[in-house]
Amino acid sequence: MRIQVSNALAPLLFSVFPFLPSLQAKVPQAGAASRPVTTRPAPAQDPLAPQDKLGKAMARRMTPPLRSFCSGCHGTAGRGDGPMARFLDPKPLDFSQGRFKLTDTVGGLPTQERLIATVREGLPGAAMPSFHHFPPHMVKMAVRGIMGLLREKIRQELLAEGKKGEELEKALALALKVGTPIKIPSFQGHSFDLKRGKEIYAKNCAVCHGPKGTGKTIMPLMNAKGERIQARDFRSGVFKGGANMEDLWQRVRGGIPYSNMPAFSQELISDSALMDLIAFVRSFVPTDPKAAPGPDGRRIPRFRMEPKPNPAKMVKRSKLPVDPKDPAWKEVPAVSLNLVPFSPKAATRGAGAKFQAVHDGKRAAFRLSWEDPSPEPADLAGIQLCLGRRSLHFFEARFPTRRYSIFGPAWFFQDGRVRAERPNYFPPKVAKALGLPTDPVPVQGPKVEARSSREGARRVVVFVRDLAVPAHPGAAGRAKKLPDNGPVIELPIVPGTTISFSVFLSDASRAKGLKSWAYSVFSELEIEN
C-alpha cells in the first residue's frame, strides 16, 4: 500500500507521528528542485572497541561512569584491557571473570556494600584510585555497571549452552548469588601470641609471601586471568583492603579471589589462631607513633585515601618565603596528602607528604615535602593546578586525549631544573604508546622557578611563580577545547577564589615509567584575599 501525502499536510503528520522519518524523506519540498540524496558518512570506528560478539555485548552494558572514568584501565568492555593496562602493576581487574579482589563473603559474590566501598576507597598499593569525590549515585551506577558486565558475560555463556527462559534465569541467579557474610569477632581481651602466629604463618603463608613477609618466592603466582603477579610485601604496610585487624580478617577468611589467594575457613585456622596470625603479619609493618594503636597494640599507619581529599589554603603574607628552609614556612598551615601509587614498587613513595602554599599579592610559593631517607635527590616532583573547585581525578586531565583550559600545565622539578609539560602529560614512552604528543610545547604565562633542600629524612621542593597571567580562556571555570599543537596557557591565581591542585612524585631508581609514580587526587585550594 502506498500513501500519498500533500505538502501542506506533511508537517502536521510528522509533528504528530515523529516515527515516520522514512515517509518524511520521500515528501518533496515545495518549489525545490530534485537533487540527489546524500547519506551521512559512518562514524569512525573506535580502534579500542571490542570486535568479538561477547565483547560487543558487554560494551553495551557499560554505564556512563565506567565509560568515562574506568575504560582507560579496565577497557571498553570491562575486561581489563584498556590502553593504560600495559603500564600498570598489578593489572586492572577483568570484571568478566566474576572474581573480585576484595570480598566480605564466602561461597559467592561480595555484597554491593563491599563493591561500593572498593570504588570509593580505591585499592592501596595499586593504580586503582579513590573515587570519594564521586556523588553516591555515580558510585552506585558504576557498581551496577560492573554487575551488568558480569551478568551479560554469564548470560552469553548460558545461551551458548542452550539454556533459555526460566532455566536461563535460574542459572543466572545461581551464578550471581551473593555469598555468606564473613563474621568478624571482637579482638578486645584476646592475649596475642606472636610465636603461635609465626608458626601458623610458616605453615600457611610463607610459601607465597616469604618467611620474612617480603612477597618474594620462587613459585610463580598467577591471577584469575593467568597474568603473573607478586604476593604482597607486608613490610610496606600497604594492604589492598586496609591494614587494620578487621580488614585482614576478611582477607584471610574470604581470600582474594581474583589473585587466587585461598580462603581459610575456621576448620583450617580457628578464630583464636587467626587473631595471632594477623598480629604476626602486622608485626612486619613499621609502626608510626602518630597512628592509633590497634587491638594488638601496634600503631600501623593508614594507607588509604581519606573520605574527602584534604582542602588546603594559600595564605597571604607580606614577605614571600622562597627558600625551602625559610623559618616563615613554620607559620604556614600544612596539609597532609594521601598519594596513590601506580604499582606496589611506588607504594611508599610520598609517605608523609605535606603541602603548603602562600602568596604576597604578586607571587605565589608552593612547598611540597615528603619522607625520603635516600641521600640521592628525588628523581621527580611535580604539581598541577586546575580552575575547577570540585575534587578531580588524575585521569580527568588526561582522558580523553584533549587539553581543556581548566587544567594548567604540569610543573616538574628534576635534576635541579624545573620544566612545564602538557596538562595531559605522561612519561614519554607511555605517551607514545598511548598516541599522545611527546614534543615539547611553549608555555604562555609567568615563568616557574623551583628550589630543593632537605630537612633530615625529608625532601623539600618549593615552586614559585607570579599570580597574574594574560587573559585566560578558562577563567570562568568552563572547559574549552584548546588545540593540541598550541601553547600551554598558564592558569591565573586570583586571591579570593578557590582552585584545585594535584602533586606527583617519582623515584626512577626503584622502577621505570609510571611504575615509579605516585599522585594525589585534585584537592581544593582556597586563596586568601
Side-chain angles (χ1 to χ4, degrees):
M1 179 178 178
R2 191 169 183 176
I3 302 175
Q4 297 290 337
V5 182
S6 69
N7 291 342
L9 186 59
L12 177 61
L13 277 177
F14 299 142
S15 65
V16 178
F17 303 107
F19 49 83
L20 299 176
S22 59
L23 184 64
Q24 185 175 6
K26 295 179 181 179
V27 178
Q29 300 296 320
S34 61
R35 54 186 176 183
V37 178
T38 59
T39 58
R40 181 179 298 178
Q45 187 175 12
D46 182 0
L48 300 177
Q51 302 302 313
D52 59 297
K53 180 180 178 181
L54 175 60
K56 291 179 179 179
M58 292 180 64
R60 290 192 292 269
R61 298 290 180 179
M62 293 281 283
T63 55
L66 294 183
R67 285 195 296 267
S68 299
F69 303 103
C70 308
S71 60
C73 296
H74 292 282
T76 54
R79 296 192 287 192
D81 55 357
M84 286 295 299
R86 76 184 86 171
F87 306 109
L88 304 180
D89 176 24
K91 300 299 181 185
L93 187 74
D94 179 354
F95 298 129
S96 70
Q97 296 293 323
R99 299 165 72 177
F100 296 89
K101 292 185 178 180
L102 301 183
T103 183
D104 56 354
T105 68
V106 291
L109 296 177
T111 64
Q112 185 183 47
E113 290 74 19
R114 175 65 263 177
L115 295 175
I116 289 175
T118 301
V119 174
R120 291 188 65 82
E121 297 171 359
L123 290 175
M128 170 69 182
S130 163
F131 285 92
H132 268 298
H133 59 291
F134 273 20
H137 74 276
M138 285 189 66
V139 175
K140 291 181 179 179
M141 189 185 298
V143 170
R144 284 199 300 269
I146 292 170
M147 295 308 299
L149 292 172
L150 178 56
R151 178 185 177 86
E152 184 62 30
K153 193 253 188 178
I154 297 174
R155 178 176 172 275
Q156 293 293 333
E157 291 177 345
L158 294 174
L159 287 173
E161 295 174 5
K163 291 183 172 59
K164 56 184 178 180
E166 185 177 350
E167 183 185 16
L168 173 64
E169 293 303 319
K170 286 184 177 179
L172 268 175
L174 181 62
L176 297 172
K177 183 187 70 171
V178 175
T180 304
I182 298 172
K183 295 181 180 180
I184 303 176
S186 172
F187 295 88
Q188 301 300 327
H190 179 74
S191 180
F192 293 96
D193 186 345
L194 293 184
K195 183 178 179 180
R196 182 190 184 197
K198 182 178 181 180
E199 294 173 353
I200 300 170
Y201 177 89
K203 180 180 179 181
N204 298 281
C205 313
V207 65
C208 293
H209 291 279
K212 296 183 179 180
T214 60
K216 295 181 179 180
T217 175
I218 60 174
M219 183 177 68
L221 302 177
M222 302 289 178
N223 64 16
K225 202 174 180 180
E227 298 164 333
R228 184 73 179 266
I229 59 174
Q230 182 176 337
R232 181 65 56 175
D233 182 351
F234 295 136
R235 300 171 303 170
S236 68
V238 181
F239 296 83
K240 288 188 178 75
N244 64 45
M245 304 198 79
E246 291 78 9
D247 292 329
L248 295 177
W249 184 277
Q250 287 191 333
R251 299 295 80 74
V252 178
R253 282 287 186 243
I256 303 180
Y258 194 76
S259 299
N260 283 325
M261 174 179 162
F264 291 87
S265 65
Q266 194 170 6
E267 287 71 26
L268 295 174
I269 303 178
S270 68
D271 285 357
S272 175
L274 182 52
M275 291 183 185
D276 295 335
L277 171 61
I278 292 175
F280 178 73
V281 169
R282 283 166 55 91
S283 71
F284 288 120
V285 183
T287 58
D288 182 355
K290 297 180 181 179
D296 58 351
R298 290 189 67 81
R299 297 178 180 270
I300 304 298
R302 178 183 172 90
F303 284 91
R304 183 183 289 178
M305 297 298 292
E306 295 298 329
K308 184 178 181 181
N310 294 326
K313 186 173 184 178
M314 176 183 284
V315 297
K316 184 178 181 180
R317 296 289 186 266
S318 58
K319 183 180 179 181
L320 193 73
V322 297
D323 190 319
K325 295 184 177 181
D326 192 321
W329 283 111
K330 295 181 180 180
E331 305 300 323
V332 177
V335 172
S336 297
L337 302 175
N338 290 288
L339 272 63
V340 181
F342 273 106
S343 84
K345 294 180 180 179
T348 57
R349 167 55 50 193
K354 293 185 180 296
F355 175 84
Q356 297 167 278
V358 62
H359 76 91
D360 62 0
K362 294 182 179 180
R363 294 192 302 166
F366 304 85
R367 189 176 191 263
L368 178 61
S369 64
W370 66 97
E371 296 176 9
D372 184 11
S374 171
E376 299 296 325
D379 289 277
L380 180 145
I383 184 172
Q384 186 174 13
L385 301 181
C386 172
L387 288 179
R389 289 194 58 170
R390 68 184 183 90
S391 298
L392 297 165
H393 177 241
F394 174 85
F395 289 115
E396 292 183 63
R398 289 156 177 81
F399 287 104
T401 56
R402 298 177 180 177
R403 293 190 291 117
Y404 293 93
S405 58
I406 61 170
F407 291 102
W411 316 328
F412 292 107
F413 181 78
Q414 188 175 27
D415 299 328
R417 295 176 296 176
V418 64
R419 71 179 193 273
E421 296 284 358
R422 302 171 185 272
N424 59 348
Y425 173 81
F426 276 117
K429 289 184 179 180
V430 179
K432 185 177 181 180
L434 294 175
L436 298 175
T438 58
D439 55 304
V441 293
V443 176
Q444 181 178 317
K447 181 181 179 181
V448 178
E449 301 174 349
R451 299 182 184 183
S452 176
S453 182
R454 291 194 67 89
E455 287 184 350
R458 296 182 67 83
R459 183 78 59 180
V460 184
V461 174
V462 173
F463 295 91
V464 181
R465 55 152 282 194
D466 292 343
L467 294 181
V469 298
H472 190 275
R478 298 179 180 178
K480 294 185 179 181
K481 180 71 170 64
L482 298 177
D484 283 330
N485 57 354
V488 175
I489 303 178
E490 188 58 87
L491 298 184
I493 301 177
V494 182
T497 64
T498 299
I499 59 177
S500 300
F501 73 96
S502 176
V503 303
F504 322 97
L505 293 173
S506 172
D507 183 1
S509 65
R510 302 188 63 184
K512 295 182 179 180
L514 283 180
K515 292 182 179 180
S516 68
W517 274 43
Y519 66 94
S520 72
V521 172
F522 280 87
S523 305
E524 289 187 1
L525 176 62
E526 179 187 351
I527 306 169
E528 189 174 62
N529 201 339

